[in-house]
Amino acid sequence: MQPETEVLTVSRDHPEAAALQRAAAILQEGGLVAIPTETVYGLGANALNPQAVARIFQAKGRPADNPLIVHVDSLEMARSLVTDWPELAGRLAAAFWPGPLTLVLPRSERVPDIVTAGGPAVALRMPAHPVALALISAAGMPLAAPSANRSTRPSPTDAAHVLADMNGRIDLVLDGGSATVGIESTVLSLLTDPPLILRPGGISLDQLREIDPRIDYGADHGKASPGTRYRHYAPKAPLRRIAEPPELIREALRLLDRGLRIAVMSHLPLEIAGDGIVMSTLPGDPDGYAAEFYRAVRALDLESPDVILLLDPPSGRGWDAMRDRVLKASGQGGEEPITV
Ligand code: AMP
Ligand code: MG
């Protein structure tokens, strides 16, 4: 049996030096540490050590052609990882770093192939979380860190979610409390002019357009970014999207009638009575919904429903990132599900 993963609780705002030193030592030896960030928990390794990064792919069961985001604690560290730092990168970083925006730029030779899945560009982000920033500084290295879940599973927003997927597969979890944003960063490519969004996320299109009004979604933003075509964020039960409340209620009653156990996720309060139903009502605003979404999916999973019915999020632009995640969790918006 694999040894249990060590867990250290850390203060979000004043991370304890002893915990940071322990985590930094593990990273320097090529180990894996799950770290709290404002988006979701990340699974960190030394981005400059290809063997350490290979362990991330192994622990997650992640396909090798899905590149990793590299986390930095300073502009200086970011610039040391790219061959070009355009003026626009500086303005975007000034506006949104630290924060949930990832910038894709031409990589320097310091970045190993395995991090970029062999591609010519590297994705960089400065996380807005005191523990993540302090750890990067203590370790003195950029951290490659995808979400700390097993591949295809919902992203972890609490240390308990990390352990549920990763116990025995990684060296340490730093428990710094719940992720506040709750979904992943926006990935913006600066390789094209105008820059294009490869994945919607914590920073909206409208926010980005305040810095450069020409920024837009990539033609196919669900698939343009490597790795986004794979199955993601999936609960164990099939998740079905339904557009309107009356239709959802009808379908729920029909399935209950057939003796199935069902779960319902909705941003509107729905009145459905019956045994064998679990309801999860999410906040009606996009930020609140994002903060709760993965936690709600994982909580419903534990009830082992036969099917999850989800009321489609609204269609306003502020909901773009959530509609993307919901679509992927339902097995759409990607290619064939992969099994790992
Ligand atoms: P995550 O799984 O949340 O760590 O997100 C990683 C995602 O960021 C990948 O699946 C890609 O969509 C995107 N990404 C990472 N590195 C690159 C890169 N070099 N070029 C384009 N997109 C990238
Ligand atoms: Mg992920």
Side-chain angles (χ1 to χ4, degrees), residues 182-200:
I183 59 165
E184 297 79 357
S185 60
T186 301
V187 179
L188 180 71
S189 171
L190 297 184
L191 303 176
T192 52
D193 190 33
L196 294 175
I197 294 175
L198 304 181
R199 174 180 77 182

Side-chain angles (χ1 to χ4, degrees), residues 108 185 290 332:
S108 86
S185 60
Q332 294 166 290

Side-chain angles (χ1 to χ4, degrees), residues 139-164:
M141 60 179 72
L143 294 183
S147 51
N149 52 284
R150 290 279 288 164
S151 204
T152 80
R153 298 275 300 141
S155 303
T157 54
D158 277 307
H161 304 159
V162 177
L163 280 178

Side-chain angles (χ1 to χ4, degrees), residues 40 60 62 66-69 71 102 104-105 115-116 119-123 145-147 155 184-185 187 189 191 198-199 224-228 232-233:
V40 301
K60 280 182 62 86
R62 183 175 175 109
N66 190 355
L68 305 180
I69 295 172
H71 294 70
T102 295
V104 176
L105 290 158
V115 171
T116 69
V122 63
S147 51
S155 303
E184 297 79 357
S185 60
V187 179
S189 171
L191 303 176
L198 304 181
R199 174 180 77 182
S225 201
T228 50
H232 271 89
Y233 323 125

Side-chain angles (χ1 to χ4, degrees), residues 250-271:
R250 262 199 314 278
E251 185 59 7
L253 294 175
R254 192 182 69 82
L255 294 173
L256 283 176
D257 225 39
R258 284 176 48 198
L260 296 183
R261 286 172 54 77
I262 63 166
V264 173
M265 295 178 75
S266 166
H267 60 283
L268 300 174
L270 299 176
E271 294 289 330

Side-chain angles (χ1 to χ4, degrees), residues 78-79 81-90 92 97 102-108 111 116 119-124 188-191:
R79 295 179 72 142
L81 299 169
V82 298
T83 54
D84 184 32
W85 179 259
E87 181 264 342
L88 180 59
L92 289 163
W97 280 8
T102 295
L103 299 176
V104 176
L105 290 158
R107 68 154 159 169
S108 86
V111 181
T116 69
V122 63
L124 299 178
L188 180 71
S189 171
L190 297 184
L191 303 176

